[in-house]
Amino acid sequence: MLTELYCDKFMDGGQKRPPIRFQRGLNAIVGSATGKNSIGKSTILLVTDFAFGGGDYIRLSVDVFEQVVHHRVCHTFKFGNTCYRFSRHTNEPNVVWKCAEDFSEIEEMSLTAYTAWLGVMYGTNVTGGSFRELTSGFFRIYGRKNLDEAHPLYAHDGDTMRGGINRLIKLYNRFHSIEELEAKAKSAVKEGSAFTDAARYGYVRIAKNKTKYKENQHRICELNDELDEITRQSAAGFTDLDAVVAEEAADLRSDLSQLRRQRTILRSRLKLMEDDCGIEKTNTTRDFKSLLVFFPEVDLHALEEIESFHSQITSVLRKEHKEASAAVREQIEELDESISELERRLNEMSLTPVVPIATLKRYARLSEKKSLLINANEGYSRKAKLDSCMRDAKKNLQEQIKSTLSFIETDLNARLDELNVEVCDASRRAPVMSIRDSTHYLYEIPNDGGAGSRTRGMFLLDVALLEGTSLPAIAHDTNAIKQVEDDTMVSLLKVYARQRKQVFLAIDKTAALTNDGEPQILSDATVLRLDENHELFGFSWARKDEAEDRNSVQSTD
């Protein structure tokens, strides 16, 4: 708990005020008997909230920093037997300093880390909410937007009923079960949407409705019959052949026919080439010499030169013919290899090369149609399952929320009844919290819409949550307290005082609360008294003369 608050700008009678010491239960900042304003009652509550990690002291106290300038706030928390000291500067509010016993600054930490530490120490970290989220709305200080008696769960300007109910669930530590189901519901919705989008862009097929699903089933049976008939009529048979394999087999069969035709052509060409290759070399010199007997004038040398030329041409042709034949043989060998490969692949498909191409293509077309219809029906079944999962997830989530809210409503109203009897005459109606759903609630005192009663109801709600949940502390300010009847306020003080957690209260005109003057229970709980000439900072800039005198002194300095 918070045990100490100190600032060297807190003054009284020209002297620095001693540290403010806090205790368990009620901690009262008591103002003047006449209700003097602008003496620092609300400000000290804002400083207390500042020690709890809040930021409204900076936002709502502009006049303080104009008159007092920025300053350091030192504070101590005690958990178990250990004291933890910190300081925080108003001109550097996002930094918190760990301090030694004399408040010398040792180690810097971020405001986020500091409030997370407070969450761990107060135990709010296990609820699923942050420390400030769960605490801030219940420090009801003048100037803050959390003083709507009809909507007491509002924590800030622009807040919603949903936000307040979520914080209420977290304070009761019932958020995790809802969070898990909410995550499942979101996952189911996301998966269903992704599947629908995939269908929209053509990545999956989905039968339009149940009627189309049944039509597809009927057509699938017809296609199975047709495929069975093709299988029976095929000499080879391919019961397990699917559309892709059938289409591939048809393509292979077509390629095989073309390769065989090419091979036949090349074999015929090679046969002709081999037949034409019967060119033989002859010895014509002896034949030419026999001509001399009959034609002694023949130029034998010229004839021999001509024959030599013919021999050379024959040699060249024979070489070219041999090379061309070798090339054709090589092409035939390549075709033989390709044909063998295609025949092997067809055999692996359990098909013989003699299955008609037309049969294969028809089988492929029918198998493809069947596959598309099966995919569409499987898509329909998948979508139906996803839709069912989504409905179930949403239903489970809503049932869990309903059960949780019912529990909270019952517990809270029981506590409010008990507190109301303790604070009021038994004949006075207690406030009632009605939580319709996760986004709407109604908080009222039936048949009693008076300002004092509504404020009492708001204060009782805070106490009920302080007693029954992980809420660490509450703060109530003078402006709201003045709405409550005196005898009711005295009873509230007793309730505040018996709390094991801390209640910070700013109040004035305390002597008028009872006929005997200020209640003893309030006197015992007072941690700071403020009055005219005993303001929090030692002076009041609300009084023109005093502010002018101080400004004059500052100018001289």
Side-chain angles (χ1 to χ4, degrees):
M1 68 177 185
L2 181 66
T3 59
E4 183 181 25
L5 193 65
Y6 173 76
C7 177
D8 61 9
K9 297 300 181 182
F10 295 167
M11 307 290 289
D12 187 23
Q15 301 295 318
K16 295 178 181 179
R17 288 182 179 273
I20 303 170
R21 310 289 183 182
F22 297 107
Q23 60 191 4
R24 197 179 302 278
L26 179 59
N27 296 270
I29 294 90
V30 178
S32 71
T34 59
K36 286 289 184 180
N37 295 324
S38 302
I39 58 177
K41 300 185 300 297
S42 297
T43 300
I44 195 63
L45 289 182
L46 287 172
V47 175
T48 303
D49 181 64
F50 192 66
F52 276 89
D56 279 347
Y57 180 44
I58 307 298
R59 186 177 66 85
L60 299 176
S61 304
V62 177
D63 57 331
V64 171
F65 305 116
E66 290 177 350
Q67 300 296 327
V68 184
V69 305
H70 283 286
H71 44 274
R72 182 174 80 136
V73 175
C74 301
H75 50 280
T76 303
F77 282 93
K78 185 176 182 180
F79 297 101
N81 296 319
T82 306
C83 291
Y84 302 87
R85 295 175 176 83
F86 302 92
S87 68
R88 191 178 172 197
H89 296 258
T90 58
N91 63 337
E92 199 177 16
N94 292 326
V95 174
V96 179
W97 286 90
K98 295 181 182 178
C99 297
E101 189 172 352
D102 62 353
F103 285 105
S104 58
E105 295 174 343
I106 300 174
E107 182 182 351
E108 176 183 325
M109 64 191 305
S110 69
L111 178 61
T112 301
Y114 172 69
T115 54
W117 177 83
L118 285 174
V120 172
M121 302 309 290
Y122 275 106
T124 61
N125 62 306
V126 300
T127 65
S130 72
F131 179 78
R132 287 303 303 173
E133 176 190 7
L134 302 183
T135 305
S136 178
F138 300 96
F139 275 57
R140 303 189 190 274
I141 307 169
Y142 176 75
R144 304 187 77 190
K145 304 298 183 181
N146 60 345
L147 296 168
D148 186 342
E149 302 93 344
H151 301 93
L153 298 180
Y154 282 176
H156 52 79
D157 192 22
D159 200 1
T160 63
M161 290 191 189
R162 178 190 289 273
I165 292 172
N166 278 340
R167 287 189 292 275
L168 190 61
I169 293 171
K170 291 173 182 177
L171 283 170
Y172 269 92
N173 199 18
R174 295 298 184 101
F175 180 70
H176 290 303
S177 58
I178 292 176
E179 187 179 35
E180 290 175 3
L181 291 174
E182 192 172 51
K184 290 181 180 178
K186 287 181 178 178
S187 177
V189 170
K190 184 177 180 181
E191 189 174 357
S193 298
F195 191 75
T196 301
D197 289 341
R200 181 181 300 115
Y201 293 109
Y203 294 111
V204 296
R205 294 175 63 87
I206 303 176
K208 187 184 299 184
N209 47 44
K210 188 67 175 179
T211 301
K212 188 62 178 176
Y213 178 89
K214 291 181 178 179
E215 291 177 358
N216 288 350
Q217 287 288 85
H218 180 70
R219 180 57 181 150
I220 289 170
C221 291
E222 292 179 342
L223 289 172
N224 281 333
D225 291 341
E226 291 184 52
L227 291 170
D228 289 343
E229 181 62 25
I230 292 174
T231 301
R232 284 192 296 270
Q233 292 177 357
S234 171
F238 35 88
T239 304
D240 296 326
L241 193 65
D242 63 22
V244 175
V245 174
E247 183 68 27
E248 183 182 359
D251 292 339
L252 292 177
R253 187 70 180 84
S254 176
D255 292 343
L256 185 61
S257 296
Q258 293 180 17
L259 293 178
R260 284 173 171 168
R261 283 196 296 271
Q262 292 177 23
R263 185 176 64 177
T264 298
I265 293 172
L266 289 176
R267 282 177 173 174
S268 296
R269 183 182 302 170
L270 180 62
K271 181 67 169 61
L272 292 173
M273 294 174 71
E274 290 175 344
D275 290 343
D276 291 340
C277 199
I279 303 173
E280 297 182 359
K281 183 178 180 180
T282 58
N283 186 1
T284 56
T285 301
R286 186 183 58 188
D287 295 334
F288 289 156
K289 286 182 178 179
S290 63
L291 289 175
L292 293 175
V293 176
F294 301 100
F295 304 100
E297 69 278 8
V298 171
D299 186 350
L300 187 62
H301 179 70
L303 290 174
E304 289 177 346
E305 286 182 350
I306 293 171
E307 182 60 24
S308 176
F309 173 72
H310 287 167
S311 296
Q312 292 175 5
I313 291 176
T314 299
S315 178
V316 170
L317 290 175
R318 184 181 291 110
K319 181 180 179 181
E320 290 179 354
H321 196 282
K322 185 177 181 180
E323 291 175 352
S325 297
V328 171
R329 287 192 186 93
E330 185 176 348
Q331 290 179 347
I332 292 172
E333 290 175 358
E334 291 177 355
L335 286 173
D336 286 340
E337 291 178 1
S338 297
I339 289 168
S340 296
E341 174 63 18
L342 291 181
E343 289 174 343
R344 182 189 65 76
R345 290 171 61 184
L346 285 169
N347 287 332
E348 288 178 353
M349 296 178 185
S350 298
L351 294 170
T352 62
V354 297
V355 175
I357 295 175
T359 300
L360 288 173
K361 288 187 175 293
R362 181 165 178 259
Y363 191 96
R365 286 194 302 271
L366 295 178
S367 295
E368 184 177 7
K369 288 180 181 180
K370 173 185 170 183
S371 178
L372 291 175
L373 294 176
I374 290 174
N375 289 340
N377 278 10
E378 288 178 347
Y380 178 86
S381 299
R382 174 63 175 159
K383 186 176 186 303
K385 184 177 180 180
L386 290 173
D387 289 344
S388 177
C389 289
M390 185 165 55
R391 286 192 300 270
D392 290 345
K394 288 182 177 180
K395 181 182 178 182
N396 292 339
L397 174 61
Q398 291 305 315
E399 288 179 350
Q400 182 63 44
I401 291 174
K402 184 178 179 180
S403 173
T404 298
L405 295 180
S406 177
F407 169 82
I408 291 173
E409 182 182 292
T410 300
D411 180 79
L412 196 52
N413 284 329
R415 293 179 184 278
L416 288 169
D417 275 336
E418 292 177 3
L419 289 169
N420 192 68
V421 171
E422 189 175 352
V423 167
C424 302
D425 185 279
S427 63
R428 299 290 295 272
R429 294 180 183 274
V432 176
M433 173 65 78
S434 301
I435 308 175
R436 191 172 74 191
D437 53 37
S438 61
T439 60
H440 296 88
Y441 68 86
L442 176 66
Y443 190 68
E444 63 176 351
I445 299 178
N447 301 320
D448 190 351
S453 296
R454 288 159 66 97
T455 303
R456 164 173 55 92
M458 181 173 67
F459 288 172
L460 290 180
L461 176 68
D462 293 353
V463 175
L465 294 176
L466 190 67
E467 291 181 346
T469 74
S470 58
L471 181 64
I474 60 175
H476 293 158
D477 202 357
T478 316
N479 63 308
I481 289 173
K482 289 178 179 178
Q483 302 291 333
V484 182
E485 296 172 347
D486 290 344
D487 57 345
T488 300
M489 194 64 233
V490 172
S491 297
L492 265 173
L493 292 174
K494 296 176 182 179
V495 172
Y496 291 154
R498 68 170 173 75
Q499 298 302 311
R500 294 190 56 78
K501 299 177 184 177
Q502 290 183 296
V503 179
F504 303 97
L505 185 74
I507 188 171
D508 55 16
K509 297 183 180 180
T510 56
L513 289 174
T514 69
N515 294 330
D516 299 326
E518 181 177 284
Q520 185 61 44
I521 195 170
L522 185 60
S523 299
D524 293 342
T526 299
V527 297
L528 178 66
R529 287 188 181 273
L530 301 172
D531 202 343
E532 189 173 17
N533 299 319
H534 295 281
E535 297 86 0
L536 179 62
F537 292 100
F539 74 105
S540 173
W541 49 87
R543 294 196 297 272
K544 184 177 180 181
D545 55 344
E546 192 166 341
E548 289 176 347
D549 290 345
R550 184 172 179 81
N551 289 335
S552 177
V553 170
Q554 289 179 342
S555 298
T556 302
D557 293 344

